[in-house]
């Protein structure tokens, strides 16, 4: 239909072979979806029909990849497909919460309000992700400097000092280990570099696959520091989804069901699913969540107050705000702890190599005497 409207004729059809890590295929970012959702909410609030609003998004999309998505969505909507069904064809761009809220909005006639709430929620999630990355950048830089310093020592410093030990016949064990390590590193620089790059590529590839991402997330959740960060992010994601769904008019059980789907941890999903089943049998929400041990006592108290006053959506908004504040505070403390810790580790490694070199020089001089 769209091709006919533009007087275009299909000459050939070929499968899309550009997929995978090295394909260079453009992806749609959360920031792009947030910007388009904001624009869509504004257009709908000003009375435009959904197909006209989507058509405008094709030209105003912040990236070519998202423009292509809106082009295909527009074609489906023009053909009579619901917006929810059209968006469901792009699960890599629109998450489960986005899709389900769109479905609810279409059925209730509240598209402008829901898309405005979705835009705010996406902005909130993007801000949270941005602050997390910013907090981890400095420790990562220190770690990279540490690796670079070790490579420089084994590739340049120790080989230049090897002539000092050439005349010695019986070198101490630590000196021989230092020389052997230097030989291995200097002779296998390319292999070590390719191994590191391959490891990073493998992690990224596994992360991009839904089947293996769950396994990686389960492993991360068990790590001391990263596990705590992961749990706090899960709490924020759940509470923000609960606030959004309750504000949109969903009942408590459906809100819980949809919010649980936004989580990544299987363990958290199982705990909250048990809480949802208790709520369905008539148990209070705060009591059911207490048994799941997913939220802290202050959050549970706020939820209990909201449940009694009939303002659960506002309670979850406050819980989300507090959880985000606690998360940012915890990230600042963790970063403050990691910075000196990594500096100490780097100093210990580099200093240890220097001490071994000095001891080796002293031992060679003793042997010559």
């Amino acid at each position: 239909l769209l091709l006919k409207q533009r007087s275009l004729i299909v000459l050939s059809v070929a499968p899309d072979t550009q997929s995978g890590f090295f394909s260079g295929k453009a992806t749609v970012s959360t920031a792009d979806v947030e910007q388009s959702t904001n624009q869509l909410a504004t257009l709908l609030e000003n009375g435009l029909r959904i197909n006209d609003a989507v058509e405008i998004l094709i030209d105003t999309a912040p990236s070519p990849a998202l423009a292509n998505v809106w082009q295909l969505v527009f074609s489906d909507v023009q053909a009579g497909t619901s917006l929810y069904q059209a968006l469901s064809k792009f699960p890599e761009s629109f998450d489960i919460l986005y899709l389900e809220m769109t479905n609810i909005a279409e059925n209730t006639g509240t598209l402008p309000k829901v898309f405005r709430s979705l835009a705010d929620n996406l902005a909130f999630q993007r801000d949270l992700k941005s602050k997390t990355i910013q907090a981890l950048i400095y420790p990562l830089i220190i770690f990279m400097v540490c690796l670079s310093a070790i490579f420089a020592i084994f590739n340049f410093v120790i080989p230049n000092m090897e002539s000092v030990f050439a005349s010695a016949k019986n070198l101490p064990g630590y000196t021989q280990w230092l020389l052997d390590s230097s030989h291995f590193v200097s002779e296998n620089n390319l292999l070590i570099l390719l191994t590191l790059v391959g490891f990073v590529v493998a992690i990224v590839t596994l992360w991009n696959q839904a089947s293996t991402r769950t396994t990686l997330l389960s492993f991360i959740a068990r790590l001391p520091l990263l596990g705590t960060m992961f749990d706090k992010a899960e709490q924020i994601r759940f509470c923000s989804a609960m606030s959004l769904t309750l504000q949109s008019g969903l009942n408590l059980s459906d809100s819980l069901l949809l919010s649980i789907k936004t989580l990544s941890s299987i363990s958290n999903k199982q705990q909250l699913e048990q809480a949802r089943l208790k709520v369905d049998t008539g148990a209070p929400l705060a009591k059911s969540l207490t048994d799941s041990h997913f939220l802290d006592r202050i959050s549970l108290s706020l939820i209990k107050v909201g449940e009694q006053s009939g303002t659960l959506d506002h309670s979850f908004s406050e819980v989300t705000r507090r959880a985000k504040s606690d998360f940012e505070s915890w990230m600042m403390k963790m970063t403050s702890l990691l910075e000196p810790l990594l500096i100490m580790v780097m100093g210990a490694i580099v200093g240890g190599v220097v001490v071994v070199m000095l001891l080796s020089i002293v031992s060679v001089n003793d042997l010559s005497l």
Side-chain angles (χ1 to χ4, degrees), residues 211-231:
S211 57
T212 53
R213 186 187 304 151
T214 303
T215 304
L216 290 175
L217 288 173
S218 300
F219 173 75
I220 292 174
R222 290 193 292 267
L223 298 177
L225 290 177
L226 292 179
T228 302
M229 180 179 70
F230 178 75
D231 286 339

Side-chain angles (χ1 to χ4, degrees), residues 16-33:
D16 182 9
T17 57
Q18 288 190 333
S19 60
F21 184 77
F22 294 104
S23 64
K25 187 177 180 179
T27 57
V28 178
S29 67
T30 303
D32 293 341
V33 176

Side-chain angles (χ1 to χ4, degrees), residues 293-313:
H293 305 289
F294 183 70
L295 298 173
D296 57 30
R297 294 178 59 184
I298 298 178
S299 299
L300 292 171
S301 298
L302 290 171
I303 293 172
K304 185 176 181 179
V305 171
E307 197 171 12
Q308 293 174 348
S309 62
T311 56
L312 260 180
D313 54 340

Side-chain angles (χ1 to χ4, degrees), residues 199-217:
F199 177 77
V200 173
V201 171
I203 292 296
V204 173
T205 303
L206 292 174
W207 184 264
N208 289 332
Q209 298 176 359
S211 57
T212 53
R213 186 187 304 151
T214 303
T215 304
L216 290 175
L217 288 173

Side-chain angles (χ1 to χ4, degrees), residues 104-116:
I104 294 166
E106 280 191 300
N107 293 328
T108 58
T110 57
L111 278 172
K113 177 182 176 182
V114 168
F115 276 117
R116 178 63 63 196

Side-chain angles (χ1 to χ4, degrees), residues 49-67:
R49 296 183 303 170
I50 186 62
N51 55 335
D52 295 332
V54 173
E55 186 177 18
I56 293 175
L57 293 181
I58 299 173
D59 297 324
T60 61
S63 68
L66 186 55

Side-chain angles (χ1 to χ4, degrees), residues 147 151 184 188-203:
L147 288 181
F151 265 84
F184 176 81
N188 297 279
N189 276 321
L190 182 60
L191 177 62
I192 294 173
L193 180 61
L194 290 176
T195 301
L196 292 175
V197 173
F199 177 77
V200 173
V201 171
I203 292 296

